[in-house]
Amino acid sequence: MINWLRVGLYLVVLLVVSGLLIPVQLLALRFDWPLRRRLPRQWHRMALWFLGIRVHVHGTLDTRRPLMVAANHASWKDILVLGSLADVAFIAKTEVASWPVFGFLAKLQKTIFVVREEKRRTGDQVNEIAARMGDGEIVVLFPEGTTSDGNRILGIKSSLFGAAAAALPDGEDGVVHVQPVAIAYTRVQGMPMGRYHRPIAGWPGDVGLVEHLIGVLRAGALDVDVTFGETVEFKKGDSRKALAIRIEGQLRAMLLAHLRGRHGR
């Protein structure tokens, strides 16, 4: 009973706080205030606190621009985690825009929605991503193309790095910085996360969103390790396939190091 009361209380408080911040964010979007980039980070931090998710950061976010972050993707929680660490813009498949709650929140953060099946729209979408990066925004790409169970890297799709090529500044010396970031859910209630709790970490999509959210709340404290890897410089004439291989190698190594407990806190 106490556990369910805690879940209910957290949800109510989060809804109240969201109700206060959403009108401000809508105004910031309407008038393109700089606040539109900063306010989501504060909301993500509060949401993580309410959910009991503790983030442990290893390494630092690259300060150079234009910058694309390439991260592994296990769950909707990844959005909260990365969004709490920097003022970022996410790239998401267009279906996300119609999801209950999460679609609305994604629009509030000015997420870039892409339709991968419609080749005729690819150019416009890539140009939007390039423009946002050129304007100094940090764009987050989940190059696996879908969510995993949190135990492995599914494989990087090199085609998704087309935006990095489009964002290259003019001139032979133009460069786009692509930084791999590994997200590993490692502990629950302070104990190493085993096979029994692993479904809490990942959200492959075959479990209802509300059901999964309640499971996270009932589990209590979760620990997630976020590791910023070595930035790869992508230049004119470079291969997207080679870029994908380098990013995938780093992501796999960083993720496994945390899941196997080989990375110190």
Side-chain angles (χ1 to χ4, degrees), residues 6 10 14 17-18 40-57 75-86 90 102 183 185 213 216-217 220-226:
R6 179 180 63 83
Y10 280 10
L14 184 58
V17 173
S18 299
R41 193 201 301 197
Q42 304 308 316
W43 184 88
H44 286 138
R45 287 178 174 176
M46 285 186 291
L48 288 174
W49 185 81
F50 288 130
L51 292 171
I53 299 175
R54 299 176 296 212
V55 181
H56 307 275
V57 179
S75 167
W76 51 268
K77 299 185 292 296
D78 303 337
I79 305 294
L80 303 180
V81 171
L82 292 175
S84 73
L85 299 177
F90 293 94
F102 282 95
I183 305 171
Y185 296 87
L213 174 59
V216 172
L217 285 167
L222 291 177
D223 286 271
V224 54
D225 288 273
V226 179

Side-chain angles (χ1 to χ4, degrees), residues 55-247:
V55 181
H56 307 275
V57 179
H58 310 269
T60 57
L61 181 68
D62 204 309
T63 58
R64 295 173 292 179
R65 303 291 183 270
L67 176 65
M68 171 179 283
V69 166
N72 62 300
H73 195 21
S75 167
W76 51 268
K77 299 185 292 296
D78 303 337
I79 305 294
L80 303 180
V81 171
L82 292 175
S84 73
L85 299 177
D87 302 333
V88 298
F90 293 94
I91 301 173
K93 57 186 179 182
T94 190
E95 292 89 341
V96 174
S98 61
W99 287 3
V101 182
F102 282 95
F104 177 64
L105 293 175
K107 293 174 184 177
L108 283 176
Q109 196 165 350
K110 209 171 182 181
T111 293
I112 306 167
F113 298 106
V114 297
V115 186
R116 296 169 186 162
E117 294 78 13
E118 297 184 21
K119 300 297 183 182
R120 59 186 176 83
R121 294 184 56 185
T122 300
D124 293 337
Q125 295 164 356
V126 166
N127 289 336
E128 180 184 358
I129 297 170
R132 300 276 288 273
M133 292 176 64
D135 194 37
E137 292 191 58
I138 303 170
V139 172
V140 175
L141 172 70
F142 296 113
E144 292 167 291
T146 186
T147 54
S148 72
D149 58 6
N151 290 318
R152 56 200 170 108
I153 302 297
L154 295 180
I156 302 302
K157 301 182 185 303
S158 60
S159 60
L160 297 180
F161 286 107
L168 281 168
D170 295 333
E172 294 297 323
D173 296 330
V175 60
V176 168
H177 305 93
V178 183
Q179 185 172 24
V181 177
I183 305 171
Y185 296 87
T186 53
R187 306 176 79 83
V188 57
Q189 295 288 357
M191 300 297 292
M193 186 178 292
R195 184 179 298 274
Y196 175 78
H197 291 101
R198 185 54 56 186
I200 299 174
W203 184 56
D206 55 352
V207 178
L209 179 58
V210 175
E211 180 184 352
H212 185 73
L213 174 59
I214 291 175
V216 172
L217 285 167
R218 293 187 66 188
L222 291 177
D223 286 271
V224 54
D225 288 273
V226 179
T227 307
F228 291 93
E230 182 181 351
T231 300
V232 179
E233 293 188 353
F234 185 78
K235 301 178 181 179
K236 184 177 181 180
D238 286 351
S239 165
R240 287 185 297 180
K241 185 174 182 179
L243 172 64
I245 291 173
R246 292 184 64 182
I247 295 297

Side-chain angles (χ1 to χ4, degrees), residues 251-263:
L251 287 177
R252 181 169 284 110
M254 292 186 295
L255 177 65
L256 290 179
H258 280 294
L259 294 181
R260 295 173 178 175
R262 295 176 181 172
H263 197 297

Side-chain angles (χ1 to χ4, degrees), residues 13-26 39 43 46:
V13 174
L14 184 58
L15 287 173
V16 170
V17 173
S18 299
L20 295 174
L21 294 182
I22 286 174
V24 179
Q25 180 66 3
L26 288 172
L39 195 58
W43 184 88
M46 285 186 291

